[in-house]
Coordinates of all heavy atoms in Angstrom, one line a residue:
M13 N 109.9 -56.6 12.3 CA 109.2 -56.5 13.5 C 109.7 -57.5 14.6 O 109.3 -58.7 14.4 CB 107.7 -56.6 13.3 CG 106.9 -56.3 14.6 SD 105.1 -56.1 14.2 CE 104.6 -57.8 14.2
S14 N 110.5 -57.2 15.6 CA 110.9 -58.2 16.6 C 110.1 -57.9 17.9 O 110.2 -58.9 18.7 CB 112.4 -58.1 16.8 OG 112.7 -56.8 17.2
E15 N 109.6 -56.8 18.1 CA 108.9 -56.5 19.3 C 107.4 -56.5 19.0 O 106.9 -56.0 18.0 CB 109.2 -55.2 19.9 CG 110.5 -55.1 20.6 CD 110.4 -55.8 22.0 OE1 109.6 -55.4 22.8 OE2 111.3 -56.6 22.2
P16 N 106.5 -57.1 19.8 CA 105.1 -57.0 19.5 C 104.5 -55.6 19.7 O 105.0 -54.8 20.4 CB 104.5 -58.0 20.6 CG 105.4 -58.0 21.7 CD 106.8 -57.8 21.1
H17 N 103.5 -55.4 18.9 CA 102.8 -54.1 19.1 C 102.0 -54.1 20.4 O 101.4 -55.1 20.8 CB 101.8 -54.0 17.8 CG 101.0 -52.8 17.9 ND1 101.5 -51.5 17.6 CD2 99.6 -52.6 18.2 CE1 100.5 -50.6 17.8 NE2 99.4 -51.3 18.0
V18 N 102.0 -52.9 21.0 CA 101.3 -52.8 22.3 C 99.8 -52.4 21.9 O 99.5 -51.3 21.5 CB 101.8 -51.7 23.2 CG1 101.0 -51.4 24.4 CG2 103.3 -52.0 23.6
A19 N 98.9 -53.4 22.0 CA 97.6 -53.2 21.6 C 96.8 -52.3 22.7 O 96.1 -51.4 22.3 CB 96.8 -54.5 21.5
Q20 N 97.2 -52.5 23.9 CA 96.6 -51.7 25.0 C 97.5 -51.8 26.2 O 98.0 -52.8 26.5 CB 95.2 -52.3 25.3 CG 94.4 -51.6 26.4 CD 93.0 -52.1 26.6 OE1 92.3 -52.1 25.7 NE2 92.8 -52.8 27.8
R21 N 97.6 -50.7 27.0 CA 98.4 -50.7 28.2 C 97.5 -51.1 29.4 O 97.3 -50.3 30.4 CB 99.1 -49.4 28.4 CG 100.1 -49.1 27.4 CD 100.8 -47.7 27.6 NE 101.6 -47.4 26.5 CZ 102.9 -47.7 26.5 NH1 103.5 -48.3 27.5 NH2 103.7 -47.3 25.4
G22 N 97.0 -52.3 29.4 CA 96.2 -52.9 30.5 C 95.5 -54.1 29.9 O 95.4 -54.3 28.7
P23 N 95.2 -55.0 30.9 CA 94.6 -56.2 30.4 C 93.1 -56.1 29.9 O 92.5 -55.1 30.1 CB 94.5 -57.0 31.8 CG 94.4 -56.0 32.8 CD 95.2 -54.8 32.3
L24 N 92.7 -57.1 29.4 CA 91.3 -57.2 28.8 C 90.6 -58.4 29.6 O 91.1 -59.5 29.4 CB 91.2 -57.4 27.3 CG 91.7 -56.3 26.5 CD1 92.0 -56.7 25.1 CD2 90.5 -55.2 26.4
A25 N 89.5 -58.1 30.2 CA 88.8 -59.1 30.9 C 87.9 -59.9 29.9 O 87.1 -59.2 29.1 CB 87.9 -58.5 32.0
V26 N 88.0 -61.2 30.0 CA 87.2 -62.1 29.1 C 86.7 -63.2 29.9 O 87.3 -63.8 30.7 CB 88.0 -62.7 28.0 CG1 87.1 -63.6 27.1 CG2 88.6 -61.5 27.1
T27 N 85.3 -63.4 29.8 CA 84.7 -64.6 30.5 C 84.8 -65.8 29.5 O 84.3 -65.8 28.3 CB 83.3 -64.3 30.8 OG1 83.1 -63.2 31.6 CG2 82.6 -65.6 31.5
V28 N 85.7 -66.8 29.9 CA 85.9 -68.0 29.1 C 85.0 -69.1 29.5 O 84.6 -69.2 30.7 CB 87.4 -68.3 29.2 CG1 88.3 -67.3 28.6 CG2 87.9 -68.7 30.6
E29 N 84.9 -70.1 28.6 CA 84.1 -71.3 28.9 C 84.9 -72.5 29.1 O 85.8 -72.7 28.3 CB 83.1 -71.5 27.7 CG 81.9 -70.6 27.6 CD 81.2 -70.9 26.3 OE1 80.9 -72.1 26.1 OE2 80.8 -69.9 25.6
A30 N 84.6 -73.3 30.1 CA 85.4 -74.5 30.3 C 85.5 -75.4 29.1 O 84.4 -75.6 28.4 CB 84.7 -75.3 31.5
G31 N 86.7 -75.9 28.9 CA 86.9 -76.7 27.7 C 87.0 -76.1 26.4 O 87.4 -76.7 25.4
K32 N 86.7 -74.8 26.3 CA 86.8 -74.1 25.0 C 88.2 -73.6 24.7 O 89.0 -73.3 25.6 CB 85.9 -72.9 25.0 CG 85.7 -72.3 23.6 CD 84.6 -71.3 23.6 CE 84.6 -70.5 22.3 NZ 83.6 -69.4 22.4
E33 N 88.6 -73.6 23.5 CA 90.0 -73.2 23.0 C 89.9 -71.8 22.5 O 89.0 -71.4 21.7 CB 90.4 -74.2 21.9 CG 91.8 -74.2 21.5 CD 92.1 -75.3 20.6 OE1 91.9 -75.1 19.3 OE2 92.5 -76.3 21.0
Y34 N 91.0 -71.1 22.9 CA 91.1 -69.7 22.4 C 92.5 -69.5 21.9 O 93.5 -70.2 22.3 CB 90.9 -68.7 23.6 CG 89.6 -68.8 24.3 CD1 89.3 -69.8 25.3 CD2 88.5 -68.0 23.9 CE1 88.1 -69.9 25.8 CE2 87.3 -68.1 24.5 CZ 87.1 -69.1 25.5 OH 85.9 -69.2 26.0
W35 N 92.6 -68.6 21.0 CA 94.0 -68.2 20.4 C 94.3 -66.8 20.7 O 93.7 -65.9 20.2 CB 93.9 -68.5 18.9 CG 93.8 -69.9 18.5 CD1 92.6 -70.6 18.3 CD2 94.9 -70.8 18.3 NE1 92.9 -72.0 18.1 CE2 94.2 -72.1 18.1 CE3 96.2 -70.7 18.3 CZ2 95.0 -73.3 17.9 CZ3 97.0 -71.9 18.1 CH2 96.4 -73.1 17.8
W36 N 95.3 -66.7 21.6 CA 95.7 -65.4 22.1 C 96.6 -64.8 21.1 O 97.6 -65.3 20.6 CB 96.4 -65.5 23.4 CG 96.9 -64.3 24.0 CD1 96.2 -63.3 24.5 CD2 98.3 -63.9 24.2 NE1 97.1 -62.3 25.0 CE2 98.4 -62.6 24.8 CE3 99.5 -64.5 23.9 CZ2 99.5 -62.0 25.2 CZ3 100.7 -63.9 24.2 CH2 100.7 -62.6 24.8
C37 N 96.3 -63.5 20.8 CA 97.2 -62.8 19.8 C 98.5 -62.4 20.5 O 98.5 -61.7 21.5 CB 96.4 -61.5 19.4 SG 97.5 -60.2 18.5
R38 N 99.7 -62.8 19.9 CA 101.0 -62.4 20.4 C 101.5 -61.2 19.8 O 102.4 -60.5 20.4 CB 102.0 -63.5 20.0 CG 102.1 -64.7 21.0 CD 103.2 -65.5 20.6 NE 103.1 -66.9 20.8 CZ 103.5 -67.5 21.9 NH1 104.2 -66.8 22.9 NH2 103.5 -68.8 22.1
C39 N 101.1 -60.9 18.5 CA 101.7 -59.8 17.8 C 101.1 -58.4 18.1 O 101.8 -57.4 17.9 CB 101.6 -60.1 16.3 SG 99.9 -59.8 15.6
G40 N 99.9 -58.3 18.6 CA 99.3 -57.1 19.1 C 98.6 -56.4 17.9 O 98.0 -55.3 18.1
L41 N 98.6 -57.0 16.8 CA 97.9 -56.4 15.6 C 96.4 -56.7 15.4 O 95.8 -56.0 14.6 CB 98.7 -56.7 14.3 CG 100.2 -56.2 14.3 CD1 100.9 -56.7 13.0 CD2 100.3 -54.7 14.4
S42 N 96.0 -57.7 16.0 CA 94.7 -58.1 15.9 C 93.7 -57.0 16.2 O 93.8 -56.3 17.1 CB 94.3 -59.3 16.8 OG 93.0 -59.7 16.7
Q43 N 92.6 -56.9 15.5 CA 91.5 -56.0 15.8 C 90.5 -56.7 16.7 O 89.4 -56.0 17.0 CB 90.9 -55.6 14.4 CG 91.7 -54.8 13.5 CD 92.3 -53.5 14.1 OE1 91.5 -52.7 14.5 NE2 93.6 -53.4 14.2
S44 N 90.7 -57.9 17.0 CA 89.8 -58.6 18.0 C 90.5 -59.0 19.2 O 90.4 -60.2 19.7 CB 89.3 -59.9 17.3 OG 88.7 -59.6 16.1
Q45 N 91.2 -58.1 19.8 CA 92.0 -58.2 21.1 C 91.1 -58.8 22.2 O 89.9 -58.4 22.4 CB 92.7 -57.0 21.5 CG 93.7 -56.5 20.6 CD 94.9 -57.4 20.5 OE1 95.2 -58.2 21.5 NE2 95.5 -57.5 19.4
P46 N 91.6 -59.7 23.0 CA 93.0 -60.2 23.0 C 93.3 -61.4 22.2 O 94.3 -61.9 22.2 CB 93.1 -60.6 24.5 CG 91.8 -61.2 24.9 CD 90.8 -60.3 24.2
F47 N 92.3 -61.7 21.2 CA 92.5 -62.9 20.4 C 92.9 -62.5 19.0 O 92.8 -61.5 18.5 CB 91.2 -63.6 20.5 CG 90.8 -64.0 21.9 CD1 89.6 -63.6 22.4 CD2 91.6 -64.8 22.6 CE1 89.2 -63.9 23.7 CE2 91.2 -65.1 24.0 CZ 90.1 -64.6 24.5
C48 N 93.5 -63.6 18.4 CA 94.1 -63.5 17.1 C 93.0 -63.4 16.0 O 91.9 -64.1 16.1 CB 94.8 -64.8 16.8 SG 95.5 -65.0 15.1
D49 N 93.2 -62.5 15.0 CA 92.4 -62.4 13.8 C 93.1 -62.7 12.5 O 92.5 -62.4 11.5 CB 91.6 -61.1 13.8 CG 92.6 -60.0 13.5 OD1 93.8 -60.2 13.4 OD2 92.1 -58.8 13.3
G50 N 94.3 -63.2 12.6 CA 95.1 -63.4 11.4 C 96.0 -62.3 11.0 O 96.8 -62.5 10.0
S51 N 96.0 -61.2 11.7 CA 96.8 -60.1 11.3 C 98.3 -60.4 11.4 O 99.1 -59.6 10.9 CB 96.5 -58.8 12.1 OG 95.1 -58.5 11.9
H52 N 98.7 -61.4 12.2 CA 100.1 -61.7 12.4 C 100.9 -62.1 11.2 O 102.1 -62.2 11.1 CB 100.2 -62.9 13.5 CG 99.5 -64.1 13.0 ND1 98.3 -64.4 13.4 CD2 99.9 -65.1 12.2 CE1 97.9 -65.6 12.8 NE2 98.9 -66.0 12.1
R53 N 100.2 -62.3 10.1 CA 100.8 -62.7 8.8 C 101.9 -61.8 8.3 O 102.8 -62.1 7.6 CB 99.7 -62.9 7.7 CG 99.0 -64.2 7.8 CD 98.1 -64.4 6.7 NE 96.7 -64.7 7.2 CZ 95.6 -63.9 7.2 NH1 95.7 -62.7 6.6 NH2 94.5 -64.2 7.7
V54 N 101.9 -60.5 8.8 CA 102.9 -59.5 8.4 C 104.1 -59.6 9.1 O 105.1 -58.9 8.8 CB 102.3 -58.1 8.4 CG1 101.1 -58.0 7.5 CG2 102.0 -57.7 9.8
G55 N 104.2 -60.4 10.2 CA 105.4 -60.5 11.1 C 105.7 -61.9 11.5 O 105.1 -62.9 11.1
P56 N 106.8 -62.1 12.5 CA 107.2 -63.3 12.9 C 106.3 -64.0 14.0 O 106.7 -65.1 14.4 CB 108.6 -62.9 13.5 CG 108.4 -61.5 14.1 CD 107.4 -60.9 13.1
F57 N 105.4 -63.3 14.5 CA 104.6 -63.9 15.7 C 103.5 -64.8 15.2 O 103.0 -64.6 14.1 CB 104.0 -62.7 16.4 CG 105.0 -61.9 17.0 CD1 105.4 -60.6 16.5 CD2 105.6 -62.2 18.2 CE1 106.3 -59.8 17.0 CE2 106.6 -61.3 18.8 CZ 107.0 -60.1 18.1
R58 N 103.3 -65.7 16.1 CA 102.1 -66.7 15.9 C 101.3 -66.7 17.1 O 101.8 -66.5 18.3 CB 102.7 -68.1 15.7 CG 103.5 -68.2 14.4 CD 102.6 -68.0 13.2 NE 103.4 -67.9 11.9 CZ 103.9 -66.9 11.3 NH1 103.7 -65.8 11.9 NH2 104.5 -67.0 10.2
P59 N 100.0 -67.0 17.0 CA 99.2 -67.0 18.2 C 99.4 -68.1 19.1 O 100.0 -69.1 18.8 CB 97.7 -67.1 17.6 CG 98.0 -67.8 16.3 CD 99.2 -67.3 15.8
L60 N 99.0 -68.0 20.4 CA 99.2 -68.9 21.5 C 97.9 -69.6 21.8 O 96.9 -68.9 22.1 CB 99.7 -68.3 22.7 CG 99.9 -69.2 23.9 CD1 101.0 -70.2 23.7 CD2 100.1 -68.4 25.2
R61 N 97.8 -70.9 21.7 CA 96.6 -71.6 22.0 C 96.3 -71.7 23.5 O 97.3 -72.0 24.3 CB 96.5 -73.0 21.4 CG 95.3 -73.8 21.6 CD 95.3 -75.1 21.0 NE 96.2 -76.0 21.6 CZ 96.5 -77.2 21.1 NH1 95.8 -77.7 20.1 NH2 97.4 -78.0 21.8
F62 N 95.2 -71.5 23.9 CA 94.8 -71.5 25.4 C 93.5 -72.3 25.5 O 92.5 -71.9 24.9 CB 94.7 -70.1 25.9 CG 94.1 -70.0 27.3 CD1 94.9 -70.3 28.4 CD2 92.8 -69.7 27.5 CE1 94.4 -70.2 29.7 CE2 92.2 -69.6 28.8 CZ 93.0 -69.9 29.9
R63 N 93.5 -73.3 26.4 CA 92.2 -74.0 26.6 C 91.8 -73.7 28.1 O 92.5 -73.9 29.0 CB 92.5 -75.6 26.5 CG 91.2 -76.3 26.6 CD 91.4 -77.8 26.4 NE 91.9 -78.2 25.2 CZ 91.2 -78.4 24.1 NH1 89.9 -78.2 24.1 NH2 91.8 -78.7 22.9
A64 N 90.6 -73.2 28.2 CA 90.0 -72.9 29.6 C 89.7 -74.2 30.3 O 89.1 -75.1 29.8 CB 88.8 -72.1 29.4
L65 N 90.2 -74.2 31.5 CA 90.0 -75.3 32.4 C 88.6 -75.2 33.1 O 88.0 -76.2 33.4 CB 91.1 -75.4 33.5 CG 92.5 -75.7 33.0 CD1 93.5 -75.7 34.1 CD2 92.5 -77.0 32.2
R66 N 88.2 -74.0 33.3 CA 86.8 -73.8 33.9 C 86.3 -72.5 33.4 O 87.0 -71.6 32.8 CB 87.0 -73.8 35.4 CG 87.9 -72.8 36.0 CD 88.2 -73.0 37.5 NE 89.5 -72.5 37.8 CZ 90.6 -73.3 37.9 NH1 90.5 -74.5 37.6 NH2 91.8 -72.8 38.3
S67 N 85.0 -72.3 33.6 CA 84.3 -71.1 33.1 C 84.7 -70.1 34.2 O 84.2 -70.2 35.4 CB 82.8 -71.4 33.0 OG 82.6 -72.3 31.9
E68 N 85.2 -69.0 33.7 CA 85.6 -67.9 34.7 C 86.0 -66.6 33.9 O 86.3 -66.7 32.7 CB 86.8 -68.3 35.6 CG 88.0 -68.7 34.8 CD 89.1 -69.2 35.6 OE1 89.2 -68.9 36.9 OE2 90.0 -70.0 35.0
T69 N 86.2 -65.6 34.6 CA 86.7 -64.4 34.0 C 88.2 -64.2 34.1 O 88.6 -64.3 35.3 CB 86.0 -63.1 34.6 OG1 84.6 -63.2 34.3 CG2 86.5 -61.8 34.0
L70 N 88.9 -64.1 33.1 CA 90.4 -64.0 33.1 C 90.8 -62.7 32.5 O 90.1 -62.1 31.7 CB 91.0 -65.2 32.3 CG 90.7 -66.6 32.8 CD1 91.3 -67.6 31.9 CD2 91.3 -66.7 34.2
Y71 N 91.9 -62.2 32.9 CA 92.5 -61.0 32.5 C 93.7 -61.2 31.5 O 94.8 -61.6 32.0 CB 92.9 -60.1 33.7 CG 91.7 -59.7 34.4 CD1 91.2 -60.5 35.4 CD2 91.1 -58.5 34.1 CE1 90.0 -60.2 36.1 CE2 89.9 -58.2 34.8 CZ 89.3 -59.0 35.8 OH 88.2 -58.6 36.4
F72 N 93.4 -61.1 30.2 CA 94.3 -61.4 29.2 C 95.3 -60.2 28.9 O 94.8 -59.1 29.0 CB 93.6 -61.7 27.9 CG 93.0 -63.2 27.9 CD1 91.7 -63.3 28.4 CD2 93.7 -64.3 27.4 CE1 91.2 -64.6 28.5 CE2 93.1 -65.5 27.5 CZ 91.8 -65.7 28.1
C73 N 96.5 -60.5 28.7 CA 97.5 -59.5 28.4 C 97.2 -58.8 27.1 O 96.9 -59.5 26.1 CB 98.9 -60.1 28.3 SG 100.2 -59.0 27.7
A74 N 97.1 -57.5 27.1 CA 96.9 -56.7 25.8 C 98.2 -56.0 25.3 O 98.3 -55.5 24.2 CB 95.8 -55.9 25.9
C75 N 99.1 -55.9 26.3 CA 100.3 -55.1 25.9 C 101.3 -56.1 25.2 O 102.3 -55.7 24.5 CB 101.1 -54.5 27.1 SG 101.9 -55.6 28.2
K76 N 101.1 -57.3 25.4 CA 101.9 -58.4 24.7 C 103.3 -58.5 25.2 O 104.2 -59.1 24.6 CB 102.0 -58.2 23.1 CG 100.6 -57.9 22.5 CD 99.6 -59.1 22.8 CE 98.2 -58.8 22.3 NZ 97.2 -59.8 22.8
H77 N 103.6 -58.0 26.4 CA 104.9 -58.1 27.0 C 104.8 -59.0 28.3 O 105.8 -59.0 29.1 CB 105.5 -56.7 27.3 CG 105.9 -56.1 26.1 ND1 105.0 -55.5 25.1 CD2 107.2 -55.8 25.6 CE1 105.8 -55.0 24.2 NE2 107.1 -55.1 24.4
T78 N 103.7 -59.6 28.6 CA 103.7 -60.4 29.8 C 104.6 -61.6 29.7 O 104.9 -62.1 28.7 CB 102.2 -61.0 29.9 OG1 102.1 -61.8 31.1 CG2 101.8 -61.9 28.7
A79 N 105.2 -61.9 31.0 CA 106.0 -63.2 31.1 C 105.1 -64.4 31.4 O 105.7 -65.5 31.5 CB 107.0 -62.9 32.2
S80 N 103.9 -64.2 31.5 CA 102.9 -65.3 31.8 C 101.8 -65.4 30.8 O 100.6 -65.3 31.1 CB 102.3 -65.2 33.1 OG 103.3 -65.1 34.2
P81 N 102.1 -65.4 29.5 CA 101.1 -65.5 28.4 C 100.2 -66.7 28.6 O 100.5 -67.8 29.0 CB 101.9 -65.6 27.2 CG 103.2 -66.2 27.5 CD 103.5 -65.8 28.8
P82 N 98.9 -66.4 28.3 CA 98.2 -65.3 27.7 C 97.7 -64.2 28.8 O 97.1 -63.3 28.4 CB 97.1 -65.9 26.9 CG 96.6 -67.0 27.8 CD 97.9 -67.6 28.4
L83 N 98.1 -64.5 30.0 CA 97.4 -63.6 31.1 C 98.3 -62.5 31.4 O 99.6 -62.5 31.4 CB 97.1 -64.5 32.3 CG 96.1 -65.7 32.0 CD1 95.8 -66.5 33.2 CD2 94.9 -65.2 31.3
C84 N 97.6 -61.4 32.0 CA 98.4 -60.2 32.4 C 99.3 -60.5 33.6 O 98.8 -61.2 34.6 CB 97.3 -59.1 32.7 SG 98.0 -57.7 33.4
D85 N 100.4 -60.0 33.7 CA 101.3 -60.1 34.9 C 101.7 -58.7 35.4 O 102.6 -58.6 36.2 CB 102.5 -61.0 34.6 CG 103.5 -60.3 33.7 OD1 103.2 -59.3 33.1 OD2 104.7 -60.9 33.5
G86 N 101.1 -57.7 34.8 CA 101.4 -56.3 35.3 C 102.6 -55.7 34.4 O 102.9 -54.6 34.7
S87 N 103.0 -56.4 33.4 CA 104.2 -55.8 32.6 C 103.9 -54.5 32.0 O 104.7 -53.7 31.7 CB 104.6 -56.8 31.6 OG 105.2 -58.0 32.2
H88 N 102.6 -54.3 31.7 CA 102.2 -53.0 31.0 C 102.6 -51.8 31.8 O 102.7 -50.7 31.3 CB 100.6 -53.0 30.7 CG 99.8 -53.1 31.9 ND1 99.4 -54.5 32.5 CD2 99.2 -52.2 32.7 CE1 98.7 -54.2 33.5 NE2 98.6 -52.9 33.7
K89 N 102.7 -51.9 33.1 CA 103.0 -50.8 34.0 C 104.5 -50.4 33.8 O 104.9 -49.3 34.2 CB 102.9 -51.2 35.4 CG 101.4 -51.5 35.8 CD 101.4 -52.0 37.2 CE 99.9 -52.5 37.5 NZ 99.9 -53.4 38.7
R90 N 105.3 -51.2 33.2 CA 106.8 -51.0 33.0 C 107.1 -50.5 31.5 O 108.2 -50.3 31.2 CB 107.6 -52.1 33.4 CG 107.5 -52.5 34.8 CD 108.5 -53.6 35.2 NE 108.2 -54.9 34.6 CZ 107.2 -55.7 35.1 NH1 106.6 -55.4 36.2 NH2 107.0 -56.9 34.5
L91 N 106.0 -50.4 30.7 CA 106.3 -50.0 29.3 C 106.4 -48.5 29.2 O 105.7 -47.7 29.9 CB 105.2 -50.5 28.4 CG 105.1 -52.1 28.3 CD1 103.9 -52.5 27.5 CD2 106.4 -52.6 27.8
Ligands
LIG112 FE1 98.2 -61.3 16.5 FE2 97.5 -63.5 15.2 S1 96.7 -61.4 15.0 S2 99.0 -63.3 16.7

């Protein structure tokens, strides 16, 4: 598996908490999108750590093809 699985063709809105750490799923196999649940063990991908600078709603990439991980950059429109 060299390409990540497309979990969803569109971002997932998540309200994050300032100072809290999140692990964004890179492989697309997690059942807890957009975050890692350990399912990546079957392939080459590892999760990306993200620390929220402030409490706010962010749009996390769920297609796993963003060039600005972990956030959506609109890449799902080209898949
Ligand atoms: Fe996808 Fe961990 S489950 S990176």
Side-chain angles (χ1 to χ4, degrees):
M13 183 170 87
S14 58
E15 283 285 308
H17 175 72
V18 176
Q20 177 177 300
R21 290 178 191 270
L24 286 163
V26 177
T27 301
V28 297
E29 286 179 46
K32 191 172 172 188
E33 192 171 86
Y34 300 85
W35 291 88
W36 178 68
C37 167
R38 274 189 211 265
C39 72
L41 298 175
S42 172
Q43 296 300 304
S44 303
Q45 293 296 330
F47 303 119
C48 176
D49 71 353
S51 299
H52 59 264
R53 279 183 234 111
V54 299
F57 297 98
R58 295 295 175 265
L60 175 70
R61 185 174 63 180
F62 171 78
R63 186 182 298 276
L65 297 178
R66 53 189 155 267
S67 296
E68 61 184 334
T69 298
L70 296 175
Y71 293 86
F72 286 86
C73 171
C75 77
K76 310 305 175 185
H77 286 72
T78 180
S80 305
L83 302 179
C84 174
D85 71 350
S87 292
H88 59 273
K89 296 175 190 161
R90 296 187 292 278
L91 294 176

